[in-house]
Amino acid sequence: MKNLNLAKSKILNFYKNVVCCLFFLFFILCHSSIAAQQTDSLKLQLNSLFNQKNSASFYSGNENYQNGKKVSLDTACFSPANDTLNLFFNKALAEMPFREYSLPAVYDSIRSVLPDSLQIHPLKIWANQLALEELVPNYYRNEISVDKDRLTSKERKRGNVVMKFRPYSISQGLDGANIAMWNSHGWYYESARDRWEWQRARLFTNLEDISPSSFVIPFIIPMLENAGANVFNARERDWQINEVVVDNDQSTGKSKFKKPRKRINGEKGFEYSELIHGTANPFHEGTAIRFESRNKDNVATYIPDFPEAGEYGVYVSYAKGDGLVTYRVTHSGGVTDFLVDQRMGYGTWIYLDKFNFKAGKDKKAAKVELIAPEGEGKTFSADAVRFGGGMGNIARNGRAGGLARYFEGARYNLQYSGAPDTLVWNLSNGEDDYKDDYMSRGEWVDWLMGAPFGPTKNRMAPGLKISIDLAFAFHTDAGILPDNKIVGTLGIYSTDRDTSVFPDGQSKYASRDLTDLIQTQIVKDINAVYKSDWTRRGMWNSQYSEAYRPQVPTMLLELLSHQNLEDIKYVLNPQFRFDVSRAIYKGMLRFITSQNGQEYVVQPLPVDHLNARFENGNMVKLSWQPVIDELEPTAVPDKYMVYKRVGENGFDNGTLITEPEITLTDLEPGKVYGFRVTAVNAGGESFPSETVAVGIAENSKGEVLIVNGFDRIDGPAIFETDTLAGVWRFLDHGVAYGYDVSTTGDQYDFERESVWLDDDSPGFGASYADLETSIFRGNTFDFSMMHGKSLLASDYSFVTSSDEAVEDGLINLQNYKLVDLLYGEEKQTLLPGKDSTVYFEIYTEKMINALAEYAENGGNIFMSGAYVGSEIPKDKMQKERIGNLFGFKFRTDHAVKTGQFYSVISNTNFTGAFNTDYNLEQYPVEAPDGIEAFDKNGKTIFRYGENGISAGVYYENKHKSLVLGFPFESIKGQSERDTIMREILKMLND
């Protein structure tokens, strides 16, 4: 009985414990439910207040931050101690830039929305799952601790594939950095229509598929490379339509490959094919040669056969080797060496640089030598060398795209570059090139790096072992705003896909830091230079393919709207392209150096006031002045590089000097020399100055000073009314920096209310396509050479000076028998935005004063330019002074559309033409001036063939002057230029 009672007691105790547990659980659940209800109630209460606000409402800063996304609370709760109110907001709040100094104001703006009962509590604010303090980029942190998880892993082996030999070191730039980028979309095959087409519409003479190229190719990539970085571009970067391949398997034309000694065996490598079908990988179709060096250097030689002279990008390829080799490029400017690390970047094209080559085959004047160093135990590889971008040769449904590879989308260039199909560029099994194109760009970055950063389908794919520091996608956006508003700049990054860290443990929020730095720099610089209230849009944390696929810090930039006319005013301006590109370079520089604990220096701006003058007979002195960058205190030069060109050759490798002048003593009579200068500091090298031409005649009749006054770069004319607006290229083409690579054709739909139907009928802004693959010359800043060649042909020695050097009194004009004023398409220009400064003025007071003094002492003047008449000021006294100095007056602009002109000088029967076409040799002249004699001391000497309007005036009083209403350098044909210069010199100097 006792045992029975004991058993009953145990059973009763068990049930008591169960009941107690159940009661306790019920109490917790009730308490949690009440707490959850309180939290939900608090969230609903606060959201009713916050939902009336958008992201921009809480912004604190001096930028025009615009973001219409609504801010909402995901969670609102008190901390366990019930003192701090935690507010967890959605992504919209996290899209603004945060700085340490702005955080209190953001907190205050959010606190001000709270009801009085909650304002007494301490506040902690979160957005996109991070405390606001954590959204301050590392670069801008002083009081807040640096987030070490965002920094580049110290285990990552950084180093360049290609190292160019330089006579100076880049100690505070991007030496050792590798950057992957791509310039938007491109020409692609659309299977549904069975045609090749663009991925975006032609609007306002522009196109997103090629517009970003006008930033990336001429500006961003060279700036980064001048800072020491290796830049890898998913699309072809060389617009040269010819392609020359030299290879051990098959070469183009009469090109020849000379094998190295000590060959071991062959392995997979490149083989050239005019047309590539299906998923064929050209780097698996041929062979590469493996060889040793042993007791002395071993050399493989590539001798190209060029179909025509020009600038060609040089690419090398190789299978995996055991270390560094030298690639020596012999070109028309000399010999340039590169070190290439064959332990990286194998099985693809590796870009070296762009060089000038003459037509034909000449083993002494044009070749590439692969030089493997002596030593035992190492092997190296020799595969193809390529010159020029060439035409697209990837066939889709039996035919290639028909355009230069430069214009095609990344998917096709990556196939030609050896990227694996199923991992990189053929992710839709050949059914959708559009998707494959945008997906391939990020997967390509991962292939460059290799395990553990490999492409999505195989993170452990070996890849090319190139440590990429960042990836950058450059796009423009769509969208139209009323009232001349700017759509502005959007940044996109991604942290949400798969995991929140990259394979080496680096936080993906490094991508947000990168995006913030670049977007901040762009907006800051635009506002500073253009006095513009440029719109800063948000920083979206979104799963865009180009943002999430690269396994490195990545930014997708939407710079502006290609559909909004106010944005178009900026994007068509070459100066804007330079300034934005410099801002992007600076943002990348700040990011990469801060990621690696380095100090940075910004590379200098190009020098100005460049001039050449004769000294002591045949000696020539070059001098110039550095340009201070008001936006960057570190961008100060401490050295300079002087580059020399002889005749039609390319430039040499330059001479490093420490002072802003140099005396040249080795000039040979009868040759035309060109000189340009760059500024150097610890951050790298600037863009080059203008080129000044110099020539010494063997039996000189006298010395002529060419004054280069053609500095202008500008966008095309834009007009606006309430109902009609757009780009009027017929009125003014504008002037490209270097070469125009992005004009599609003239606009034909000017109606503001015209609606978009599809990309073939895009409505307002719709433009023709006749120019979209024509790359033509703009201002290359070297037209003094064309004047000089004709002067030398008439036995006159000459030097060149920039116009600013003359204006500032650095040149004594009295030393010259004749002054040749080269004004090209110079005319007064305003930048877009609110900057009222007038640029590129011909008739400055300083210039007129200098020329007037020269003329009073018997100096003679030759002037030519498309706007020399229309640029004469309207002021009566100024018109009178200019008329008496040059002997002509303005009659009409746009005097003719065709370029024919003829001489009306007695005893001559000269007819000629200036260029109005789009080509690489000469810029088109769309608006020549009609000019007439100012008074009885002048007379017409040339007339336009189209209508007989006066095209040139000769004037003789106390001095002589001859003026052409079109640029001398635009005259077609060297012999024609020589003839007309000979006649001009006779009239002015006899």
Side-chain angles (χ1 to χ4, degrees), residues 545-556:
S545 176
E546 293 169 275
Y548 77 74
R549 289 183 186 273
Q551 295 301 297
V552 292
T554 301
M555 178 192 187
L556 192 164

Side-chain angles (χ1 to χ4, degrees), residues 612-649:
R613 54 189 184 271
F614 288 113
E615 285 194 350
N616 301 325
N618 288 346
M619 294 173 59
V620 172
K621 185 174 184 179
L622 289 180
S623 65
W624 55 90
Q625 293 180 3
V627 174
I628 302 303
D629 187 346
E630 296 180 357
L631 304 181
E632 291 296 336
T634 66
V636 178
D638 51 33
K639 298 180 184 68
Y640 303 93
M641 290 288 291
V642 179
Y643 295 91
K644 181 176 71 174
R645 177 183 66 193
V646 182
E648 301 286 347
N649 295 324

Side-chain angles (χ1 to χ4, degrees), residues 360-376:
K361 184 174 74 171
D362 184 343
K363 64 181 180 180
K364 293 183 179 180
K367 61 184 174 182
V368 172
E369 296 168 282
L370 163 55
I371 306 170
E374 64 177 272
E376 297 287 342

